[in-house]
Amino acid sequence: EVQLAESGGGLVQPGRSLRLSCLGSGFRFGDYAVSWVRQVPGKGLEWISFITSKAYAETTSYAASVKGRFTISRDDSNGVAYLQMNSLKTEDTAVYYCTRLGPNYTDYWGQGTLVTVSS
Amino acid sequence: QSALTQPPSASGSPGQSVTISCTGTSSDVGGYNYVSWYQHHPGKAPKLMIYEVSERPSGVPHRFSGSKSGNTASLTVSGLQAEDEADYYCCSYAVGNIYVFGTGTKVTVL
């Protein structure tokens, strides 16, 4: 069974950093791209980043709202993807989901981890 | 990149059909056959319902179907059931090697 488990969320002050982790299991982690999607409480889903597999050069992409502040990476040996979030803003407060990215669509999602940016 | 436009709400009685639109531009929905749809029950992980405009993953009931015309994609739920009540989001691959989600539609089963 494909499973994705996010961790690392919590309360952080504006301007500080936080790193989210996504542990994948039940599939060959290294064969798939991974993306992060967030949902501000009461709002819709927002795609924020993806990283392709090593076969596709671990290419990364970011939404304009996080480009230059967030960095996605992966460690296939441990089946983990990361989202390093720097210079956090109050508007980054959201539930962050890790997803498995198939050929141009997300097919599995984690349960999400809540990030609250507040002083 | 702006979010794709969906109606905020849609509703129907059990057994009826409901269609949700997802309008973008030629840079996203109109330019690629990479539109997917997700069902989201609050507090749970979203679930893939349709991919590549009209393909249905195994396990998704046949009453869920997708289509596209120009810059607008659509999701139709036929034979509405109580468990279909949820938020639905479209998503499209877009120019610039990015993805964009729709604004979301809350489906209510009357």
Side-chain angles (χ1 to χ4, degrees):
Chain A
E1 180 190 5
V2 172
Q3 291 190 323
L4 297 161
E6 304 90 342
S7 61
L11 175 64
V12 61
Q13 293 179 326
R16 303 298 291 266
S17 299
L18 202 63
R19 188 178 80 161
L20 304 183
S21 300
C22 168
L23 178 64
S25 60
F27 65 102
R28 285 174 59 107
F29 188 84
D31 287 350
Y32 288 84
V34 174
S35 75
W36 289 91
V37 177
R38 68 184 180 185
Q39 183 174 36
V40 172
K43 302 294 185 183
L45 300 173
E46 178 190 14
W47 171 82
I48 55 174
S49 182
F50 73 72
I51 183 168
T52 63
S53 64
K54 187 165 290 186
Y56 290 89
E58 296 187 3
T59 300
T60 60
S61 182
Y62 300 92
S65 58
V66 305
K67 198 168 189 176
R69 299 188 299 123
F70 291 12
T71 302
I72 192 171
S73 61
R74 62 189 301 157
D75 174 3
D76 292 344
S77 63
N78 290 303
V80 183
Y82 301 101
L83 185 68
Q84 176 68 40
M85 305 185 293
N86 297 333
S87 303
L88 282 162
K89 306 174 182 180
T90 55
E91 52 263 42
D92 293 320
T93 293
V95 174
Y96 284 74
Y97 295 98
C98 167
T99 83
R100 191 179 83 166
L101 192 58
N104 296 302
Y105 60 92
T106 276
D107 55 3
Y108 289 95
W109 299 64
Q111 292 292 328
T113 186
L114 176 63
V115 173
T116 302
V117 184
S118 175
S119 54
Chain B
Q1 184 73 39
S2 299
L4 308 175
T5 301
Q6 297 181 232
S9 63
S11 63
S13 299
Q16 289 186 330
S17 294
V18 64
T19 296
I20 303 165
S21 61
C22 168
T23 301
T25 69
S26 58
S27 295
D28 38 63
V29 174
Y32 306 92
N33 287 323
Y34 296 136
V35 177
S36 50
W37 288 90
Y38 301 90
Q39 179 189 66
H40 190 199
H41 289 104
K44 300 183 71 176
K47 177 184 177 183
L48 175 67
M49 306 303 285
I50 295 288
Y51 66 96
E52 293 176 355
V53 176
S54 59
E55 298 298 312
R56 200 172 35 250
S58 61
V60 172
H62 284 68
R63 50 203 184 76
F64 288 88
S65 62
S67 63
K68 190 184 87 166
S69 177
N71 296 336
T72 298
S74 298
L75 173 72
T76 296
V77 186
S78 306
L80 266 175
Q81 298 185 6
E83 59 263 34
D84 299 333
E85 186 161 295
D87 297 322
Y88 290 82
Y89 294 90
C90 60
C91 181
S92 176
Y93 179 75
V95 165
N97 199 27
I98 63 172
Y99 289 85
V100 59
F101 277 91
T103 49
T105 298
K106 182 177 181 60
V107 170
T108 301
V109 181
L110 302 171

